[in-house]
Amino acid sequence: YISARRAIWDCWAHGSKLDYRGEFYNHTLMTPFFNPGPQAAGIPTVALAAVGPRMTRVAGQVADGMILHGFTTERYVREVTLPMVNEGLAASGRLPADFTYSCPVFIVTGENDDDTAKAAQAVRQQIAFYGSTPAYWQVLDMHGWVGVGEKLNALSKAGEWAKMGDLITDEMLDAFAIVATPDQVARRLHDRFGDVIERVSFYAPYAVPEDLWPSVIADIKAIG
């Protein structure tokens, strides 16, 4: 699908004949009514979302970047995601420098202990929700948390949503989330993913004072 889109974009940008014939998609006709011509922004870049090794390898082979899932850990990124992307890049004759990463990262923070505890509970619930999905259990299994996914899945089917967060231990929370005071969030993010992720968003399913995130963003920019 991505290769088919690239063929269409190349036709628009360079006036090349559209002649894409793939296993699932065939595009051989481009009428002037559907052709906007070259765009000032150039040919769009493609970022592919992935978690498992196969889709991650595909991202490295055909995409310009990857959107990591929030349900990931530093260990999983370094031991599974990066090697699989690099395999895909090698297959397409490209280098790691040709590829970018972005990620929504779970953040647990607050201006006091009470706010931080509420933030932690909200993030535990979100982690538990993702952990109930069988396709994501490989992340849990890598850390030795075998069977947790099955328990979460059973609770979700029973409608016991409130209990699911209780299965996310402090160790799990620290692995999936940046747990820090507001003035330390930027440094912890940089230490964990600063050499990998070019773009980051804050995955924080709880309310914070409106000046908290701008302050963290300023800290991130200061670190560079």
Side-chain angles (χ1 to χ4, degrees), residues 17-33:
K17 177 177 172 52
L18 181 58
D19 188 22
Y20 181 80
R21 303 172 191 273
E23 183 178 356
F24 301 103
Y25 297 94
N26 292 292
H27 296 286
T28 59
L29 175 65
M30 177 56 61
T31 70
F33 304 103

Side-chain angles (χ1 to χ4, degrees), residues 108-109 112-124 205-207:
V108 174
T109 193
N112 52 58
D113 290 345
D114 185 57
D115 288 347
T116 302
K118 291 178 181 177
Q121 184 57 32
V123 172
R124 288 181 201 273
Y206 51 88

Side-chain angles (χ1 to χ4, degrees), residues 1-61:
Y1 177 72
I2 292 174
S3 298
R5 290 180 66 92
R6 290 193 189 282
I8 292 171
W9 289 335
D10 186 75
C11 171
W12 292 350
H14 304 118
S16 57
K17 177 177 172 52
L18 181 58
D19 188 22
Y20 181 80
R21 303 172 191 273
E23 183 178 356
F24 301 103
Y25 297 94
N26 292 292
H27 296 286
T28 59
L29 175 65
M30 177 56 61
T31 70
F33 304 103
F34 294 153
N35 189 342
Q39 300 297 297
I43 294 177
T45 56
V46 177
L48 187 64
V51 176
R54 289 186 180 181
M55 186 64 78
T56 300
R57 191 182 297 110
V58 169
Q61 188 169 355

Side-chain angles (χ1 to χ4, degrees), residues 8 11 18 45 53 56 95 98 103 110 118 134 146 150 178 221:
I8 292 171
C11 171
L18 181 58
T45 56
T56 300
L95 300 173
D98 300 323
C103 183
K118 291 178 181 177
V146 179
E150 287 87 342
I178 299 295
K221 291 181 177 178

Side-chain angles (χ1 to χ4, degrees), residues 51-114:
V51 176
R54 289 186 180 181
M55 186 64 78
T56 300
R57 191 182 297 110
V58 169
Q61 188 169 355
V62 301
D64 301 298
M66 178 177 167
I67 304 171
L68 284 75
H69 200 294
F71 190 80
T72 195
T73 65
E74 181 180 10
R75 181 181 173 189
Y76 190 83
V77 168
R78 297 188 185 280
E79 295 184 19
V80 177
T81 303
L82 295 182
M84 290 299 99
V85 167
N86 289 338
E87 280 190 17
L89 288 168
S92 60
R94 296 185 297 160
L95 300 173
D98 300 323
F99 201 80
T100 62
Y101 297 88
S102 62
C103 183
V105 179
F106 283 116
I107 307 292
V108 174
T109 193
E111 295 187 316
N112 52 58
D113 290 345
D114 185 57

